[in-house]
Amino acid sequence: MLMSERAPTRLPSYGSSQRWAGANLHTTVLVQGPSHSEIIYPIPTRNVEFTFSPVGPNSMLLLPQADEGDAHPRYYITVMPSCFMPLSHITTIYRGANENAPRVGEFEMGITSVASERQIGTRPPEPLAAVLKKVGIFNGNRWRWSRNVGPNLAYSYLFWECNAAPFTCFTEDEQKKPGKAVAWFTPQRAANRTGASARLSHLEVTPQGQMLFDDIIMSILTIERKLLQPPEPKFLFNFH
């Protein structure tokens, strides 16, 4: 069972205490997250690259590249087994450096008879099957993520094209189809195929994508989990 959301939190602006690459940042702006809490941070004027950096056996931080003016971790991500069903795992996402930061939401997936769910902000849990769907010709690796954009369960969509790395995230156009690219995700397994030194998974986000960051990070974590799950029960364990 997914936990309920704590009270919405207003994030502080780091503009007064952190040195920013001024030429690459707009004035600090207010952005609305899926939990409808207020998010305040400078929006870059160019694409920014982030790395998924492990910080323990079951957690990682989404960190900007070392050459960025903003050194603050953008998200803290943890994965924990369900106490009642340890083969099912709960991924929780916080907007900050640790579990004391504002909580974005969580999703649960695993080996269990209970349907997978996501829970965002103060909203009740939703079945993943209802908010994340494969779409497109022949049901290929294009995914549609339903975004919560209003208090009355209104939705808009993000689309992920995952046929080849880097996976590309698009906003929706007027016909509810993929429109403008706002993010690119390169999983670690693809980054390491180049023969270069081992790389961590990384994410590149456009200025427009910064305003959709909560949904971008939650959707790609969910999709990557689905892409890595075994296609058949006989492949359930990796020691066959």
Side-chain angles (χ1 to χ4, degrees):
M1 180 64 66
L2 301 180
M3 68 179 68
S4 60
E5 164 72 308
R6 65 182 73 171
T9 304
R10 181 183 175 92
L11 288 184
S13 169
Y14 295 114
S16 60
S17 60
Q18 173 73 26
R19 294 185 61 187
W20 304 97
N24 299 321
L25 297 169
H26 285 305
T27 304
T28 300
V29 298
L30 181 70
V31 183
Q32 194 77 10
S35 64
H36 304 291
S37 59
E38 293 179 341
I39 315 165
I40 302 177
Y41 56 82
I43 298 297
T45 59
R46 59 175 175 79
N47 293 4
V48 178
E49 291 192 27
F50 299 86
T51 299
F52 290 87
S53 180
V55 291
N58 65 334
S59 58
M60 58 184 174
L61 289 169
L62 187 70
L63 296 171
Q65 296 285 346
D67 59 350
E68 294 296 330
D70 174 8
H72 289 81
R74 183 57 61 88
Y75 291 96
Y76 176 70
I77 301 155
T78 66
V79 181
M80 299 291 290
S82 168
C83 290
F84 290 101
M85 186 53 181
L87 293 178
S88 184
H89 291 80
I90 302 169
T91 299
T92 307
I93 303 162
Y94 301 89
R95 196 184 304 113
N98 53 47
E99 66 275 7
N100 295 318
R103 178 179 160 278
V104 174
E106 58 191 44
F107 62 91
E108 181 172 358
M109 299 172 66
I111 306 172
T112 174
S113 60
V114 179
S116 299
E117 292 182 326
R118 79 169 183 192
Q119 193 276 318
I120 296 178
T122 58
R123 294 176 180 270
E126 303 167 282
L128 269 179
V131 297
L132 179 64
K133 297 181 180 293
K134 272 191 171 183
V135 295
I137 299 175
F138 303 119
N139 214 29
N141 262 338
R142 175 186 291 175
W143 298 80
R144 187 185 70 192
W145 174 263
S146 298
R147 297 181 55 238
N148 296 135
V149 294
N152 298 318
L153 296 179
Y155 288 112
S156 69
Y157 300 119
L158 288 179
F159 294 89
W160 279 95
E161 291 280 2
C162 302
N163 289 306
F167 304 158
T168 305
C169 180
F170 299 89
T171 56
E172 64 177 354
D173 62 16
E174 294 179 355
Q175 286 75 43
K176 301 291 184 181
K177 295 181 179 180
K180 186 175 182 179
V182 292
W184 296 265
F185 171 72
T186 303
Q188 184 175 17
R189 60 187 182 280
N192 291 340
R193 288 191 192 120
T194 61
S197 58
R199 295 191 63 186
L200 299 172
S201 298
H202 56 277
L203 181 71
E204 180 179 350
V205 182
T206 69
Q208 181 183 355
Q210 296 278 342
M211 300 185 184
L212 305 168
F213 218 150
D214 285 358
D215 281 289
I216 288 173
I217 193 72
M218 194 166 191
S219 61
I220 193 55
L221 288 171
T222 309
I223 291 168
E224 181 71 345
R225 179 86 69 86
K226 280 187 167 289
L227 291 175
L228 292 174
Q229 71 184 15
E232 300 179 38
K234 67 179 180 180
F235 298 121
L236 191 59
F237 297 99
N238 62 2
F239 50 77
H240 59 272

